[in-house]
């Protein structure tokens, strides 16, 4: 997060929200007014409370592209209330739709949730609840609860605020949420050690929100994260998919370096990226204890390069570049498991992405490709060799801008902009789609004694090399080169 963003966030925090109403958009006001009228028409005393991030972000005046409203109900199920609202919408000739999301702990759906579409906006409806946890699982046992119990079971005080739709006021039932929001503090409603042992994923969420909002972790959160029991619980109780989602959000946030730095500082980096179950690795150039610091350093350099460079990366290329820079210290090193095959080594970076974070296989492949391409850019003179530069364009494909910027971040003598200009000047910008001048049938006709097999692939690759070296090469010239080099197959 830049200094200007930090200043803006700080100015928004320095407010006393005790008596400040939330500023609703016209659409939000329309939705809430309709719900309140439904209660009046049905003569219900149900209290409707908007919960979670919507309240937090409204108070912080953070812009949001989508309206994401979760409403907690105190005396009726979400499904029953959704159908009541649906009936009123139909009477007013408004289109509506109701869906029910059943409990599915494997997908982190611990309580049945009803959804209703009102004025083209989906609203989630759920009961207020309390939770109890078993020692070996982060999946809670759900019980219906009071508003206070619902607030206290949440991950952070700033996420436990309610907006009472009936009265139009913010409710801070933990007693700390508004103060923490004002002072920029990340705190758990209950004692953090127990909170994290119940659901260790909350430790990662605390770090993510600290980075996202520019807040500080309360010291007792830091102490709790450093406890061996909490680190062990994170590795054993939380699915790798859920860890991967949090890490992905951290790196795609406004402050990825802050998040990674916090993971390092609270001793959770290894539990996330290098858990105890990590298989045997090739020897590293550094002690494994140095990994958090080294990974933070390569990420920091890449982010600095992104800020200063004239080149800009689209969202997805930036994302994969952040992962590639973070895991760059492991580049070129492999892991070994019982399933490892000598001819198909698995890199450390790939294993971390595929198994420790359970992200897409494509993410692992692209990070590996970036790391391989980086080894091809050895020095600044590299750009003067048309063949080498053409190979890089072909091998990196759409990842080229990310490769160049990461290379620049590691070597101050390399300029991504200069290499990009040289590629254009050498007419190599379309080298990735370059095809051999002669296809397989033409080569076979030219070399009738050529056996089937790898030799054909070798000749196809040779053609590409010749075309990279000489962009004006003609098909006839290519035929001559092939017959001269492979005369034994004529």
């Amino acid at each position: 997060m830049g200094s200007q963003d930090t200043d803006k966030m700080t100015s928004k925090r320095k407010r006393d929200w005790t008596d400040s109403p939330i500023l609703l958009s016209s659409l939000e006001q329309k939705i809430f007014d309709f719900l309140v009228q439904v209660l009046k028409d049905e003569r219900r005393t149900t209290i409707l409370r908007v919960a979670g991030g919507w309240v937090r972000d409204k108070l912080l005046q953070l812009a949001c592209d989508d309206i994401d409203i979760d409403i907690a109900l105190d005396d009726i199920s979400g499904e029953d209330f959704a159908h009541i609202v649906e009936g009123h919408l139909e009477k007013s000739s408004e289109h509506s739709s109701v869906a029910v999301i059943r409990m599915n702990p494997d997908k982190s759906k611990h309580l049945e949730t009803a959804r209703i579409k009102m004025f083209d906006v989906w609203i989630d409806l759920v009961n207020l609840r309390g939770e109890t946890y078993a020692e070996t699982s982060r999946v809670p046992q759900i019980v219906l609860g009071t508003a206070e119990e619902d607030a206290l079971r949440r991950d952070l005080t700033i996420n436990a605020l309610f907006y009472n739709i009936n009265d139009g006021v913010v409710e801070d039932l933990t007693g700390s949420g508004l103060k923490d929001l004002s002072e920029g503090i990340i705190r758990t409603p209950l004692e953090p050690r127990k909170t994290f042992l119940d659901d260790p994923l909350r430790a990662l969420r605390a770090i993510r929100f600290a980075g996202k909002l520019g807040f500080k972790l309360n010291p007792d959160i830091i102490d709790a994260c450093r406890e061996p029991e909490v680190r062990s619980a994170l590795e054993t109780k939380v699915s790798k998919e859920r860890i991967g989602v949090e890490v992905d959000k951290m790196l795609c946030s406004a402050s990825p370096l802050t998040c990674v730095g916090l993971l390092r500082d609270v001793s959770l980096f290894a539990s996330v990226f290098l858990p105890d179950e990590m298989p045997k690795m090739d020897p590293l150039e550094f002690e494994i204890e140095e990994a958090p610091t080294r990974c933070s350093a390569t990420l920091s350099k890449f982010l600095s390069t992104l800020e200063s460079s004239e080149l800009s990366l689209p969202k997805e290329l930036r994302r994969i570049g952040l992962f590639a820079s973070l895991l760059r210290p492991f580049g070129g090193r492999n892991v070994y498991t019982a399933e490892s095959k000598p001819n198909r080594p698995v890199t450390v970076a790939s294993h971390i992405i595929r198994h420790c974070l359970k992200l897409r296989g494509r993410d692992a492949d692209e990070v590996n490709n970036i790391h391989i391409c980086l080894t091809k850019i050895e020095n600044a003179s590299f750009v003067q060799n048309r063949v080498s530069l053409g190979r890089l364009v072909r091998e990196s494909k759409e990842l080229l801008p990310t490769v160049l910027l990461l290379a620049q971040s590691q070597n101050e003598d390399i300029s991504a902009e200069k290499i990009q200009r040289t590629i254009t000047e050498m007419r190599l910008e379309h080298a990735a789609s370059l095809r051999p001048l002669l296809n397989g049938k033409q080569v076979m006709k030219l070399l009738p004694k050529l056996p089937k097999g790898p030799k054909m692939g070798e000749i196809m690759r040779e053609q590409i090399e010749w075309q990279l070296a000489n962009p004006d090469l003609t098909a006839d010239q290519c035929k001559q080169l092939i017959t001269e080099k492979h005369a034994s197959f004529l």
Side-chain angles (χ1 to χ4, degrees), residues 289-430:
E289 292 78 12
E290 298 176 36
T293 299
R294 287 179 176 261
C295 291
S296 294
T298 52
L299 176 63
S300 176
K301 290 178 180 179
F302 181 63
L303 287 167
S304 296
T305 300
L306 287 180
E307 289 182 4
S308 61
S309 176
E310 296 177 5
L311 297 180
S312 61
L313 295 179
K315 183 178 179 180
E316 186 55 29
L317 287 184
R318 174 186 170 89
R319 171 183 173 272
I320 209 66
L322 292 170
F323 274 102
S325 62
L326 178 68
L327 300 177
R328 182 58 186 146
F330 302 110
R333 299 299 189 271
N334 297 328
V335 296
Y336 301 93
T337 66
E339 295 79 25
S340 296
K341 299 179 181 179
N343 60 334
R344 296 185 65 182
V346 177
T347 66
V348 175
S350 178
H351 182 87
I352 290 173
I353 292 173
R354 289 177 182 270
H355 299 283
C356 300
L357 303 178
K358 291 287 185 181
L359 296 174
R360 300 176 303 180
R362 175 181 172 180
D363 294 334
D365 293 341
E366 289 184 343
V367 166
N368 274 344
N369 193 12
I370 290 172
H371 287 174
I372 291 171
C373 288
L374 285 173
T375 63
K376 309 290 179 67
I377 310 177
E378 298 178 352
N379 50 55
S381 62
F382 168 87
V383 300
Q384 304 305 321
N385 188 314
R386 193 177 194 278
V387 174
S388 297
L389 202 53
R391 288 175 188 157
L392 178 68
V393 175
R394 289 181 61 80
E395 292 169 12
S396 60
K397 298 181 174 64
E398 70 276 2
L399 297 172
L400 178 64
T402 307
V403 171
L404 298 181
L405 287 167
L406 187 50
Q408 179 178 322
S409 72
Q410 296 181 350
N411 186 338
E412 60 183 14
D413 293 330
I414 292 174
S415 167
E417 292 93 340
K418 182 177 179 180
I419 295 177
Q420 192 72 66
R421 286 195 299 270
T422 303
I423 288 172
T424 302
E425 292 168 358
M426 290 185 175
R427 295 181 289 163
L428 286 169
E429 60 266 41
H430 302 300

Side-chain angles (χ1 to χ4, degrees), residues 108-264:
S108 293
K109 295 295 182 185
H110 307 313
L111 187 66
E112 182 175 284
T113 302
R115 306 193 77 203
I116 183 167
K117 193 172 187 180
M118 301 177 58
F119 311 116
D120 292 325
V121 175
W122 281 102
I123 308 295
D124 286 359
L125 301 168
V126 69
N127 290 103
L128 292 169
R129 67 189 192 264
E131 298 174 343
T132 59
Y133 290 83
E135 289 187 5
T136 58
S137 173
R138 64 175 287 264
V139 179
Q141 297 296 316
I142 302 296
V143 295
L144 298 181
T146 65
E148 289 79 5
E149 290 170 334
D150 194 282
L152 291 173
R153 60 99 190 165
R154 293 180 180 268
D155 55 358
L156 306 172
T157 58
I158 62 171
N159 293 339
L161 297 167
F162 291 124
Y163 176 69
N164 187 314
I165 295 176
N166 304 55
D167 299 330
V169 296
V170 174
E171 296 176 338
D172 182 7
L173 302 182
T174 69
S176 304
L178 290 174
K179 183 174 183 291
D180 290 340
L181 202 64
S182 177
E183 296 179 357
I185 300 296
I186 296 295
R187 189 194 314 271
T188 55
L190 300 176
E191 192 270 323
R193 182 178 186 277
K194 179 177 180 356
T195 297
F196 297 157
L197 288 177
D198 283 345
D199 184 357
L201 190 68
R202 290 172 172 171
L204 299 188
R205 284 176 57 82
I207 289 170
R208 175 164 67 85
F209 278 107
K212 173 183 177 180
L213 301 175
F215 284 16
K216 293 182 179 180
L217 294 176
N218 201 49
D220 62 358
I221 285 183
I222 297 174
D223 293 339
C225 288
R226 287 174 175 168
E227 292 196 23
E229 294 86 352
V230 171
R231 299 203 304 272
S232 176
L234 180 61
E235 294 187 30
T236 58
K237 290 180 69 173
V238 183
S239 72
K240 301 304 182 186
E241 290 87 350
R242 295 299 299 168
I243 291 176
V245 167
E246 288 299 320
V247 171
D248 209 344
K249 289 180 178 180
M250 289 180 192
L251 288 186
C252 292
S253 73
S255 303
L257 186 61
T258 298
C259 293
V260 172
L262 288 173
L263 284 173
R264 177 197 63 212

